[in-house]
Amino acid sequence: MTHIMIAGGGIAGLTAALSLHAAGFDRITVVEAVREIQPLGAGLNIMPNAVRELDALGLLGRLDECSVRTAELRYYHRAGGLISREPRGLAAGYLWPQLSIHRGDLQRVLADAVRERLGSDAVVAGVRVGGVETSADGRARVLLAHRDVRGGSRGSGASLEPDVLIGADGIRSAVRAALNPDEGEPPWNGMLVWRGVSRVPAHRAGTFMFIAGDDRQKAVVYPMTHPGSVGRDRHVLVNWALAMPATEIAAAGRGDWNRPVPVAKFAHHYAGWEFDGISVPEILAAADRAFEYPMVDREPLARWTHGRTTLIGDAAHAMYPIGSNGATQSIVDARALAHAMATHPDRSEALTAYETQRRPAMTELQHANRRQGPEVVINLAHARAPEGFTDIADVIPPSELAEIASRYATTGAFDPDSVNAGSPYEPPLGVRS
C-alpha cells in the first residue's frame, strides 16, 4: 500500500488527507508541529470553486452550521462612496455558495472528518519536519523533531521514508526550505496587517462583506456567524482585517507572526470610517484582541515537485491576502493532487501531472494579487477622485468594473461557468491504493 505523508495539519493538509482517502488511499499520515490542533485564527472566505470540492467530500452540511453564506461584496471609497456591489455565491448564479467562516471552525470540521474517516492515529501532533533528503529514486527521507511542552523542538533522530511526501506546512514550509535551501525569508511589501474577531449585535454587523479604503489604507469587514449561533442572544461574530504601511505606524517594524497587539495601536487611524451604517471603530471597540502580521508572500517557484515530494497550499504559492484565494486555492490543490494520484499509477508522474495542472495558474494568481487583484478598483477610485465622488460611473465606467472582476475570477478559475461545470477532480470509480 502506498504510504503518503502530509507535513502540516492545516486546511491544505487536512483537505489533502480527506481527498486522498476519498480517492482510495488508506495509508495516510499527517504530521503537525503544534501539540494540539485548536480553533485559532480569524475569518476566511471560501469561494464557490472550493466549496464545490468540500461539498464533494460531504462537508457542506457541517460547514453551513458554523458559517455564513455570503451573498454580496461591496467596495467603498474611504470617503464613504460606494464603488461597486457584487452578488456572490448563489446570488451570483453559482451552484455552490461562498462561505464566510472562522478559520478555527473550518479546521475543526476538517480535523473531525479526518479522525472519523482515517482513524484517530492519522494525525500525529507535536511533530515537525526537521529536514528532507531525496534519494536517487526520488523517494524522500523525512527527518522528524518532537515539540516539547514549552513549545521548543528536540531532535529525536527518527525518520520516515514515505512513498509520497506532501508539503502542506505553510508559508514557512520546512519541506519547501529543504527543496529550496537558498530561498530565505518571505519577502515583505512594507505593509502591516491587523486581524481580529469582534462579537457585535447582529443589527450592527451588516449582512454583506465590504472592502474599503484608498491606495494605502484598507479595511475588510464581514459577519461569519448567524444570530443565535454564538449563544442565545442576537450577537454575531464579525471578522475584520486592516492594512497600512508600517512607515505610518509609530514604532512599527516588520511585525511578527500572530503577534498580539493592543487595538489602540491602530484603531485611531480608522476614526470616522463608516459604510452604509457599519462602523469600523465600533467593530474594533468590540474586539478583545488583535494580531499583527507583515504582509508577505512567496516568489513563484519554477518547480514544486522533486521526485516523490511536492507542495500544496501556502507552501507552494503563498500570496497576498487579496481576493479570498489563500484557503480557497489550498482546498483546490488538495483535490487536484488526489485526483492526479488516483489517475497516475506512477507516483512521480502523478505529482508532475498535478503540478502541470496547478502551478501555472497559481503563479498567475500570485502576480495578480501583487497587482491588488479585484481590490484595484479602490486604488483607481482614489487616484481618479481622491476627495470622493457622487456617482462612481463618472469615475470608473461600469464596463471597467465588470471587466476587472471578471478577469480576476477567470484567473482563479472561480468564474460561474467554470465552477458550475462541476468538479474536474472526482476520482474514477474503483481506484484503490
Side-chain angles (χ1 to χ4, degrees), residues 34 40-42 103 107 171-172 192-196 254-261 289-294 296:
V34 301
L40 302 176
R103 176 185 290 273
Q107 191 168 8
I171 192 169
R172 289 178 138 177
L192 288 178
V193 177
W194 300 280
R195 302 196 69 176
R254 176 188 172 105
D256 204 347
W257 305 88
N258 288 317
R259 183 163 76 101
V261 296
R289 57 182 177 175
F291 292 91
E292 183 176 86
Y293 307 80
V296 297

Side-chain angles (χ1 to χ4, degrees), residues 290-309:
F291 292 91
E292 183 176 86
Y293 307 80
M295 189 181 287
V296 297
D297 65 357
R298 280 292 192 185
E299 293 293 339
L301 289 174
R303 181 182 181 188
W304 292 354
T305 301
H306 296 248
R308 299 188 196 178
T309 299

Side-chain angles (χ1 to χ4, degrees), residues 233-299:
D233 55 20
R234 299 290 296 174
H235 286 69
V236 300
L237 293 183
V238 173
N239 181 79
W240 51 266
L242 313 174
M244 282 186 65
T247 55
E248 300 185 23
I249 303 298
R254 176 188 172 105
D256 204 347
W257 305 88
N258 288 317
R259 183 163 76 101
V261 296
V263 174
K265 177 178 181 178
F266 52 83
H268 59 285
H269 291 285
Y270 293 85
W273 282 45
E274 183 170 324
F275 307 95
D276 282 334
I278 310 304
S279 167
V280 174
E282 182 180 323
I283 287 171
L284 296 180
D288 58 355
R289 57 182 177 175
F291 292 91
E292 183 176 86
Y293 307 80
M295 189 181 287
V296 297
D297 65 357
R298 280 292 192 185
E299 293 293 339

Side-chain angles (χ1 to χ4, degrees), residues 6 115 161 164 191 236 296 320 328 382 385 425 432:
I6 301 171
R115 296 187 186 100
E161 294 187 16
V164 172
M191 299 287 286
V236 300
V296 297
Y320 291 156
T328 290
H382 175 75
Y425 305 123
R432 305 300 301 174

Side-chain angles (χ1 to χ4, degrees), residues 176-185 298:
R176 177 174 174 139
L179 301 177
N180 303 272
D182 299 324
E183 185 174 33
E185 286 290 303
R298 280 292 192 185

Side-chain angles (χ1 to χ4, degrees), residues 129 236 423:
V129 173
V236 300
S423 175

Side-chain angles (χ1 to χ4, degrees), residues 9 22 25 54 69-70 72 96 120 180 211 224 226 240 272 279 303 308 313 316 326 344 350 372 390 396 429-430:
F25 296 91
L54 294 171
R69 292 190 169 196
T70 301
E72 185 178 51
W96 289 270
S120 58
N180 303 272
I211 304 174
M224 54 184 178
H226 292 286
W240 51 266
S279 167
R303 181 182 181 188
R308 299 188 196 178
H344 294 80
Q372 297 298 303
T390 301
I396 308 176
L429 296 176

